[in-house]
Amino acid sequence: RVGSATSLSSATVNTRLQELVKLFKERTDKVKEKLTDPDVTSDDESPTTSPAKPAPAAAPVPPPRGEPEGEKPSGDEHYCEMLCCTFKYRPWLDRLKNYRFPSSIDPLTNLMYVLWLFFVVMAWNWNCWLIPVRWAFPYQTPANIHCWLVVDYLCDLIYLLDILVFQTRLQFVRGGDIITDKKAMKENYMRSQRFKMDVVCLLPLDFFYFKVGVNPLLRFPRCLKYMAFFEFNNRLEAILSKAYIYRVIRTTAYLLYSLHVNSCLYYWASAYEGLGSTTWVYDGEGNSYIRCYYWAVKTLITIGGLPDPKTLFEIVFQLLNYFTGVFAFSVMIGQMRDVVGAATAGQTYYRSCMDSTIKYMNFYKIPKTVQNRVKTWYEYTWHSQGMLDESELLVQLPDKMRLDIAIDVNYNIVSKVALFQGCDRQMIFDMLKRLRSVVYLPNDYVCKKGEIGREMYIIQAGQVQVLGGPEGKTVLVTLKAGSVFGEISLLAAGGGNRRTANVVAHGFANLFILDKKDLNEILVHYPESQKLLRKKAKKMLQNNNKPKDEKGPPGDPLIIPPKADTPRLFQAALAAAGRMGGKGPLAQLRWRLKELKAMQA
C-alpha cells in the first residue's frame, strides 16, 4: 500500500512537472520569436469568436391576462377549429388587416405589380377574343345579355383601377434619380403616351346602347390597351428561369388569335352572302365556331381542298385571305425560329466549340485516349455548369455586381480558410473576384510532388486524394467539398515551396484556383493583412518542417516514456534550494524528484 501511494504521488508530480516544462518552453519560444521577428506584435492578430457570456437575469415579465404563468408563447402557434382549442386568428388574416398599400411602386422588381398586370391582361384578352365572337356569331342573345354586360363592366373596373391606383404610383428615373414623390409620379404618368391610350380605352361609347342596342363593336376601343400586355411580357420574362417557354406559348397564341379572327370574318361573310346560299359559304350545320375555325386553318395554312368561290365578293374575300395567310404564317414561322434559336444559343455555341476542337485534334493526329478525355471534359463541364466559361457571363456586369455575385457563391467557402481568418474583410472581397473555376476529370493530377506551388485550391464540388508513400500511390487523405489545400504556397518566399505529395481528382472535381500573382496584387493595398498572412505562413511552414519523432518497432513498446529536459532556470532554482537546506516547497519538490529518479533507475 505504501508503494502504491508513493507511485501515485510520483505520477502526479511527474505530470505536473511536464506541464510546467511545456509552459516554460512555450513562453521562451514566444519571447525568442518576438525578438527575432520584427513583424510580430501580439497574439491577438487573428481574432477568434469568443463564447457568448450569459446575459444578466432580467426581471420576470408577468404573463398576459388570461394566460397561465407556466406556459410560454411559442413562435409556431397551433391553429385548430376543434372545441378543445382556443380560437385564434390565422396569420394571413392579420397580415391582410395590417396591410398598407405602398405609396410608390417599383415596376421592375415589385411582384405585386406583375400580379396586377396579369389581371389587366386577362381583362384585355377578354375584350380582344370575345368582341369579334359576339359581333360575328349569334352567341349574344337577349336571354344572356346581362351575363356579358357584368363581365364587360368588371373589365372596365380593372381598367379604371389601373389608371387611378397603380399607374399614378409607378416610380420613374429622372436625371439618374429614382422619383418617388406622389405628385411627380402622377404628372409623369399624365404626360406619357400610355395615359392617352388608357383614356381612349375607356371612352363611354356604351351610352349608344340606348340608340343602337348592345353592339359589341362599340367596345372595340377596349382593345387598345396593348401597352399593358407588352409590359407584362417584359416583366414576366425577367422573373422566369426559362423565359423561352413563355415566348413559345405567346407566339403560338398569336397564331391561334389570327385564326380566331379569320373564322369570325368567314362567318360574317357567310351571313352576308346567306348561310348555305353557295357551296363556298358556311352551310349552318354543326357547331358554327368549330366549322368556321376549321375553314380558317385550311385557308391561312394554304392546305387546299377548299370549295371555289362563286361570286365576286367571295373571290375578293378568298384572295385577301390567301395573301394574309401567307404573310401571317411566314411571320409566325420566322418568330418561332428566333425564339427557339435564342433558347438554344448556348447549346449551339457548345457544339461549335466541341466540333472545332475535335477537328483540330484530328488534324494533328492526337491519340484517341486524349481525345476522349477532352470530349468528356466538354460534356461534363457543359452539363454541370450550363456553360464552358463562367467568367463570360460576368464580363458585361459592373464591378460592384460581380462582387455581389462572387460573395453569394464563394464567400462561405473562403471565409473558412484558416489562413485568411482575421484578415481585412475588403481584402477577402477583392480576392473572391480573382477565383477561377476549373473542372478536373477522374484521375487528373491537380498538382504533382516536387513542382513549385503557385496556386491555392478550394474544392467546390467533388473529392481529391492526397497520394504519398514510397511509390506515390498510397492514399494519405481524401479531401471533400469545402476543403482547402496549397494555401502555404501563396506566401512562401524564394519562388515558392515545392509540393510534397501528389493530389489526384477522385471522380469529377470542380475547384476554385487562386494564383499567387493575383494575391500579391491585392496585398499591396492591405499591408496589415500582408503582415498577418506572412506570419501565419511562416508558422505553418515551421510546423511542416519539424522532424517527426521516430517510433520504435511495434514489438518493443516503451514502458516509461522519455522525460523532457528540465529548463535551466528551474534547475538553478532547485540547486539553490538544496544548497540553502530550506524546508520550502522547492525543497520538498527537490526531494520528490530525487525519489522519482531512484525509482526509475
Side-chain angles (χ1 to χ4, degrees), residues 171-241:
Q171 302 173 4
F172 66 99
V173 179
R174 182 171 60 190
D177 297 329
I178 300 177
I179 306 301
T180 58
D181 181 65
K182 292 183 178 180
K183 184 178 179 181
M185 291 186 296
K186 186 180 298 184
E187 292 178 353
N188 178 70
Y189 171 61
M190 296 181 67
R191 290 195 303 266
S192 64
Q193 181 69 21
R194 182 165 183 173
F195 173 73
K196 301 175 184 178
M197 297 297 298
D198 290 347
V199 171
V200 174
C201 288
L202 289 177
L203 286 177
L205 300 180
D206 300 34
F207 288 109
F208 289 100
Y209 285 171
F210 297 103
K211 276 194 173 183
V212 298
V214 182
N215 189 348
L217 288 180
L218 294 176
R219 292 186 55 82
F220 181 76
R222 305 296 191 271
C223 300
L224 299 178
K225 202 174 177 65
Y226 59 89
M227 291 187 178
F229 172 70
F230 291 111
E231 183 183 7
F232 174 73
N233 291 335
N234 295 333
R235 301 291 175 263
L236 187 62
E237 290 178 5
I239 63 177
L240 291 178
S241 58

Side-chain angles (χ1 to χ4, degrees), residues 85-126:
C85 300
T86 305
F87 176 76
K88 299 176 183 178
Y89 287 107
R90 295 188 180 275
W92 65 271
L93 289 175
D94 296 336
R95 289 197 295 266
L96 186 62
K97 290 181 179 180
N98 299 329
Y99 180 74
R100 295 292 181 271
F101 198 82
S103 58
S104 63
I105 300 174
D106 185 3
L108 300 178
T109 59
N110 196 318
L111 296 180
M112 181 192 67
Y113 179 65
V114 179
L115 180 62
W116 171 253
L117 284 178
F118 170 76
F119 290 109
V120 176
V121 170
M122 291 299 294
W124 178 76
N125 276 281
W126 167 269

Side-chain angles (χ1 to χ4, degrees), residues 441-490:
L441 300 183
N443 301 323
D444 273 354
Y445 278 89
V446 180
C447 56
K448 293 187 177 182
K449 182 178 180 180
E451 68 180 9
I452 302 298
R454 298 183 179 87
E455 302 92 8
M456 179 191 77
Y457 301 92
I458 304 174
I459 304 176
Q460 182 190 17
Q463 298 178 358
V464 298
Q465 293 179 338
V466 181
L467 305 181
E471 299 181 358
K473 296 182 179 180
T474 305
V475 179
L476 302 179
V477 65
T478 300
L479 303 178
K480 300 182 180 180
S483 302
V484 181
F485 60 95
E487 65 269 24
I488 303 178
S489 63
L490 292 179

Side-chain angles (χ1 to χ4, degrees), residues 155-373:
C155 295
D156 292 348
L157 179 61
I158 294 177
Y159 280 18
L160 188 62
L161 290 177
D162 182 59
I163 295 175
L164 299 179
V165 179
F166 285 88
Q167 297 300 323
T168 56
R169 285 179 167 85
L170 293 185
Q171 302 173 4
F172 66 99
V173 179
R174 182 171 60 190
D177 297 329
I178 300 177
I179 306 301
T180 58
D181 181 65
K182 292 183 178 180
K183 184 178 179 181
M185 291 186 296
K186 186 180 298 184
E187 292 178 353
N188 178 70
Y189 171 61
M190 296 181 67
R191 290 195 303 266
S192 64
Q193 181 69 21
R194 182 165 183 173
F195 173 73
K196 301 175 184 178
M197 297 297 298
D198 290 347
V199 171
V200 174
C201 288
L202 289 177
L203 286 177
L205 300 180
D206 300 34
F207 288 109
F208 289 100
Y209 285 171
F210 297 103
K211 276 194 173 183
V212 298
V214 182
N215 189 348
L217 288 180
L218 294 176
R219 292 186 55 82
F220 181 76
R222 305 296 191 271
C223 300
L224 299 178
K225 202 174 177 65
Y226 59 89
M227 291 187 178
F229 172 70
F230 291 111
E231 183 183 7
F232 174 73
N233 291 335
N234 295 333
R235 301 291 175 263
L236 187 62
E237 290 178 5
I239 63 177
L240 291 178
S241 58
K242 295 183 178 180
Y244 65 90
I245 297 178
Y246 175 72
R247 297 190 189 107
V248 172
I249 297 174
R250 185 182 62 200
T251 305
T252 306
Y254 290 159
L255 178 60
L256 296 178
Y257 183 74
S258 62
L259 297 173
H260 169 79
V261 173
N262 194 30
S263 64
C264 296
L265 292 176
Y266 174 65
Y267 186 88
W268 169 81
S270 300
Y272 178 78
E273 287 285 306
L275 297 179
S277 58
T278 63
T279 58
W280 181 83
V281 299
Y282 168 59
D283 56 4
E285 297 180 0
N287 189 296
S288 58
Y289 181 77
I290 298 298
R291 293 293 185 90
C292 294
Y293 201 91
Y294 173 74
W295 182 91
V297 170
K298 293 181 68 176
T299 303
L300 286 184
I301 304 180
T302 61
I303 296 177
L306 295 173
D308 296 331
K310 303 300 182 181
T311 64
L312 178 63
F313 175 80
E314 294 175 358
I315 293 174
V316 173
F317 187 89
Q318 188 71 355
L319 286 176
L320 293 176
N321 244 332
Y322 280 139
F323 287 135
T324 306
V326 171
F327 176 76
F329 197 68
S330 61
V331 170
M332 296 302 171
I333 293 296
Q335 189 170 1
M336 189 69 73
R337 183 204 61 185
D338 294 339
V339 170
V340 176
T344 59
Q347 182 78 15
T348 304
Y349 173 73
Y350 154 71
R351 294 304 311 176
S352 63
C353 291
M354 189 170 181
D355 293 343
S356 301
T357 306
I358 294 175
K359 183 178 180 181
Y360 173 84
M361 291 188 296
N362 291 332
F363 180 78
Y364 285 98
K365 299 180 180 179
I366 305 298
K368 288 296 182 181
T369 55
V370 179
Q371 293 191 22
N372 292 334
R373 294 184 65 82

Side-chain angles (χ1 to χ4, degrees), residues 78-87:
H78 172 66
Y79 296 94
C80 183
E81 297 178 357
M82 303 296 292
L83 296 177
C84 60
C85 300
T86 305
F87 176 76

Side-chain angles (χ1 to χ4, degrees), residues 26 58 344 369 421 510-511 552:
E26 289 180 356
T344 59
T369 55
Q421 291 180 357
N510 196 343
L511 308 181

Side-chain angles (χ1 to χ4, degrees), residues 408-463:
D408 293 335
V409 176
N410 306 330
Y411 183 73
N412 290 334
I413 298 178
V414 178
S415 60
K416 297 177 183 179
V417 181
L419 182 64
F420 301 118
Q421 291 180 357
C423 294
D424 194 305
R425 187 181 180 87
Q426 188 60 41
M427 189 213 76
I428 303 295
F429 291 165
D430 293 344
M431 188 178 63
L432 292 177
K433 296 184 293 185
R434 304 295 185 96
L435 294 178
R436 294 184 295 108
S437 178
V438 179
V439 175
Y440 288 90
L441 300 183
N443 301 323
D444 273 354
Y445 278 89
V446 180
C447 56
K448 293 187 177 182
K449 182 178 180 180
E451 68 180 9
I452 302 298
R454 298 183 179 87
E455 302 92 8
M456 179 191 77
Y457 301 92
I458 304 174
I459 304 176
Q460 182 190 17
Q463 298 178 358

